[in-house]
Amino acid sequence: MVVCGDDGLAHRLAAELRGVYREQVTLVVPPAGRRVRQPVVGRARAASAALLDMVNAAVNRTGNGDQGGADRELDATEPTEDVLADAGVERATALALVYDDDETNIRAALTARRLNPRLRLVLRLYNRRLGQHIEELLDQSATLATGDGAGTGTGAGAGSTTVLSDADTAAPALAATALVGTSKVVETDGLLLRAVERNPPRPGEVADPGLCTLALLSATSNDPAGADGSEDSGEQGPQLLPDAAAVEAATGRGTVALEQVSYSGPPLAAGRAGVPAFGELFSRRLRWSLAGLAACVVALAVALMLVTGDHPLHATYVTLLDLFSINEPAHNKDTGRQILQLLSGFVGLLLLPVLLAAVLEALGTFRSASALRKPPRGLGGHVVLLGLGKIGTRVLTRLREMDIPVVCVEADPEARGMATARRLRVPVVLGDVTQEGVLEAAKIHRAHSLLALTSVDTTNLEAVLYARSVRSRLRVVLRLYDDDFATAVYRTLRAAHPGALTRSRSVTHLAAPSFAGAMMGRQILGAIPVERRVLLFAAVEVAGHPQLEGKTVGEAFRAGAWRVLALEVSDGGRAEGGAPERARESRLVWELPDTYVLRGSDRVVLAATRRGLAELLGRRARRGADV
């Protein structure tokens, strides 16, 4: 694998490939004088990478290692043809171009495709429309150069091209973190799936397996003095993809279950989902004024009916004439009628300014209806999103796709996400989040969670600290560029507010798994760590895999190696063998019966260990791949 980049994403991606997928990586970065500081890798992955280095070193000393040596790091300002050749692109399996400049990535991709038509390319592009055209162009170029159908966009074959954006790949994890407080998330076919750790069930209780049970945690996972199931602890380690017998026999061990991510905040009342048009046109004070005047008219009509003995309709008509000053003066009437006419005229004088205010408010509402919406009155249980830049816009779109109520806060009226907020009719508060009263206008005191996604770390931190002072148990998620800073902030906020959920996230940290999965092949959907081991999620064509084709779902399941989770069907289709299709827009069928027979034309989503996926896909398992 070859990774070329000029910011933290390149280092994070290289660490992901080494620590999770155990691949040999050549990293091409700018010289030390122009290089950004390498981000800190999480303890688990750092330990895995260090252990891998020890294993490789031992293998190389015995002379049994792979040819090509250990990982390399090259210094180069730009990925020119000579630099790519020096990095070994002609012999590489995949190349990731993650420079911050789109033009640099495109130029290098065209050069790399010419050097190696079978190379799997992964590009980081901000322009999504241009990315689609570039992907088609590079795939067509690979097809013509190889002549064997590679690069036709069929999936994970050699010569394929994948264009990604760090904003698009980080948005699902940020949205899931704000909703359910975890980043152990895999996105597949528009769905967000999370791995949930559950404590051992009490005697007499039945544990909910969710969509399925992914793993049994080690005996020390709930013990602060334990070693997370390491081999040195002498305890039983985590058991990945256990069968039903192993789950039933396990006592006193927690489990990892797969669930679909959904909104966990308080449900909104039916009236809060859409404010009536009357409520949007007129303010509460004006509505009360109109109600008071209507009550006065009714009272005057009733009084006139009692004084004169008129019919109720005629009394109301006469009252309205007096109200609008178009009735004849009651010179020759009795005293009661004259007093009522004077009161009606006085109420008519009060009605004029109220009607004028109503007209002005309605005009103002119509004028601003196409621009921005204000947070509805009584809104609660929503997500407050700070920043409508590149990342914030994608997160906003993701939250609205899941029908999550959102209130945005943005200081720049010309931000790129303002058009998206208008289109989605999302309430927006214009103002600096560091100024007093801005978060209050976003109803932060009744919010479910806060997503601070501006491009300035100190602004995000200041907003979170102020929100904590307003509501101490508010769930907060910070976007912080620097990993060291993010770690320090997370630990401090967790210590200061132990009862509240706090998460600090780096976009490079969230985007790297998707880029790494694309480099491994488009069939890799993501990876979820389970203590010191890793579960991979992949989309696999059944054809060509004797372990799957012609077998039932129950027969295809291999404990500790792989497990079929879902079946892809066409829109409106139905799986054979009695597999129920859930009522959702997704084309994936979950909870397949064990009797369903997998056909060669099927495409399935499965969970697998690294060694199991390598065996299933025909990749040679590396030494110590599942340490």
Side-chain angles (χ1 to χ4, degrees):
M1 304 289 178
V2 180
V3 177
C4 302
D6 57 357
D7 60 7
L9 180 57
H11 294 281
R12 176 68 66 177
L13 177 55
E16 187 85 11
L17 293 170
R18 293 174 183 139
V20 176
Y21 298 100
R22 307 303 172 94
E23 294 289 339
Q24 292 185 348
V25 182
T26 297
L27 180 61
V28 180
V29 292
R34 300 182 55 185
R35 189 184 309 170
V36 298
R37 186 163 57 89
Q38 180 175 349
V40 177
V41 183
R43 289 182 298 172
R45 292 177 182 173
S48 299
L51 186 58
L52 176 62
D53 293 339
M54 294 171 59
V55 173
N56 287 338
V59 172
N60 290 333
R61 283 196 299 268
T62 59
N64 298 325
D66 296 332
Q67 298 298 324
D71 300 342
R72 294 193 302 159
E73 182 171 322
L74 302 179
D75 291 341
T77 305
E78 294 183 359
T80 60
E81 182 174 350
D82 294 337
V83 171
L84 294 177
D86 189 19
V89 168
E90 296 93 337
R91 304 179 304 277
T93 301
L95 167 66
L97 298 166
V98 293
Y99 290 93
D100 193 54
D101 179 58
D102 286 2
E103 183 179 350
T104 301
N105 293 328
I106 294 175
R107 187 188 305 114
L110 296 175
T111 303
R113 178 60 77 216
R114 178 168 49 85
L115 294 176
N116 185 356
R118 296 185 176 275
L119 182 68
R120 185 182 299 129
L121 288 173
V122 179
L123 281 74
R124 172 192 185 184
L125 295 182
Y126 294 115
N127 191 330
R128 296 160 63 183
R129 179 174 298 181
L130 176 61
Q132 295 177 356
H133 296 309
I134 292 296
E135 185 173 332
E136 295 174 358
L137 175 64
L138 292 175
D139 282 347
Q140 184 178 1
S141 175
T143 302
L144 295 177
T146 58
D148 58 358
T152 57
T154 58
S160 64
T161 305
T162 305
V163 176
L164 298 175
S165 167
D166 52 354
D168 292 336
T169 54
L174 286 170
T177 304
L179 296 179
V180 294
T182 180
S183 60
K184 293 183 178 181
V185 174
V186 174
E187 182 182 18
T188 170
D189 199 37
L191 297 178
L192 290 179
L193 304 175
R194 63 166 176 165
V196 183
E197 294 187 6
R198 294 176 174 171
N199 295 325
R202 297 178 180 178
E205 291 183 350
V206 179
D208 181 12
L211 294 176
C212 70
T213 300
L214 296 177
L216 295 174
L217 297 176
S218 64
T220 60
S221 60
N222 296 318
D223 183 7
D228 289 338
S230 64
E231 288 77 2
D232 297 335
S233 65
E235 299 287 350
Q236 187 177 8
Q239 183 178 352
L240 302 184
L241 301 176
D243 54 19
V247 174
E248 293 179 0
T251 57
R253 299 179 65 180
T255 61
V256 177
L258 186 66
E259 292 182 350
Q260 181 181 347
V261 172
S262 60
Y263 182 50
S264 60
L268 293 178
R272 295 181 185 175
V275 179
F278 185 80
E280 291 186 357
L281 287 175
F282 307 118
S283 64
R284 178 179 300 179
R285 182 178 300 177
L286 184 58
R287 294 201 302 269
W288 278 110
S289 300
L290 291 173
L293 290 175
C296 291
V297 173
V298 173
L300 291 172
V302 172
L304 183 61
M305 180 185 64
L306 296 177
V307 171
T308 62
D310 288 346
H311 189 273
L313 293 180
H314 185 266
T316 303
Y317 173 70
V318 172
T319 301
L320 292 176
L321 292 179
D322 293 335
L323 187 71
F324 296 114
S325 301
I326 56 178
N327 197 10
E328 295 182 358
H331 293 296
N332 301 321
K333 303 295 182 180
D334 54 23
T335 304
R337 175 70 182 90
Q338 293 175 351
I339 294 175
L340 290 176
Q341 189 177 55
L342 292 175
L343 292 176
S344 300
F346 179 72
V347 173
L349 293 177
L350 297 178
L351 180 62
L352 291 178
V354 174
L355 292 178
L356 179 60
V359 172
L360 293 178
E361 280 199 7
L363 290 177
T365 301
F366 285 124
R367 185 170 57 252
S368 60
S370 60
L372 295 173
R373 296 185 63 200
K374 295 181 180 180
R377 301 176 184 89
L379 179 65
H382 58 288
V383 176
V384 177
L385 175 62
L386 308 183
L388 285 176
K390 178 168 58 73
I391 303 295
T393 303
R394 294 302 303 144
V395 173
L396 171 62
T397 303
R398 172 65 62 180
L399 290 173
R400 291 306 301 141
E401 287 175 353
M402 296 187 290
D403 295 326
I404 307 302
V406 184
V407 174
C408 300
V409 179
E410 175 57 53
D412 183 10
E414 303 298 328
R416 69 171 67 195
M418 298 298 286
T420 302
R422 294 188 187 97
R423 177 175 55 85
L424 299 176
R425 294 189 59 78
V426 174
V428 178
V429 177
L430 286 176
D432 187 353
V433 296
T434 60
Q435 299 297 322
E436 186 176 357
V438 174
L439 287 179
E440 284 82 353
K443 310 292 194 257
I444 192 65
H445 57 285
R446 291 199 298 266
H448 171 265
S449 56
L450 170 67
L451 271 169
L453 304 181
T454 70
S455 57
V456 182
D457 288 0
T458 55
T459 299
N460 294 334
L461 179 58
E462 183 177 355
V464 167
L465 293 177
Y466 180 75
R468 275 276 188 260
S469 66
V470 176
R471 186 178 179 185
S472 60
R473 299 184 65 86
L474 179 70
R475 174 177 291 173
V476 298
V477 181
L478 295 85
R479 171 197 175 186
L480 300 176
Y481 179 80
D482 186 85
D483 283 349
D484 286 339
F485 187 43
T487 302
V489 168
Y490 165 69
R491 291 175 177 174
T492 304
L493 288 177
R494 184 181 59 180
H497 302 276
L501 190 143
T502 303
R503 293 291 184 266
S504 55
R505 295 286 180 256
S506 168
V507 174
T508 58
H509 175 86
L510 297 175
S514 296
F515 281 83
M519 293 188 71
M520 296 299 299
R522 293 182 183 177
Q523 75 276 4
I524 302 294
L525 302 175
I528 289 180
V530 179
E531 295 181 2
R532 298 195 177 189
R533 304 180 69 182
V534 174
L535 269 178
L536 304 179
F537 292 82
V540 177
E541 300 285 348
V542 174
H545 298 289
Q547 303 94 330
L548 303 177
E549 190 172 3
K551 298 182 180 296
T552 64
V553 173
E555 295 171 345
F557 170 55
R558 181 179 297 181
W562 61 76
R563 177 174 183 168
V564 176
L565 300 177
L567 172 70
E568 181 177 306
V569 296
S570 59
D571 293 336
R574 189 173 183 85
E576 295 181 358
E581 182 175 4
R582 295 194 174 191
R584 57 165 68 109
E585 296 180 358
S586 173
R587 298 172 58 209
L588 293 178
V589 178
W590 298 89
E591 298 179 343
L592 291 170
D594 291 340
T595 57
Y596 176 74
V597 179
L598 300 174
R599 300 169 298 175
S601 58
D602 289 338
R603 187 169 184 263
V604 296
V605 175
L606 52 83
T609 61
R610 284 190 294 255
R611 181 176 298 164
L613 188 62
E615 177 183 350
L616 185 64
L617 300 182
R619 293 175 58 87
R620 179 172 55 86
R622 295 180 181 272
R623 183 185 297 269
D626 272 314
V627 176

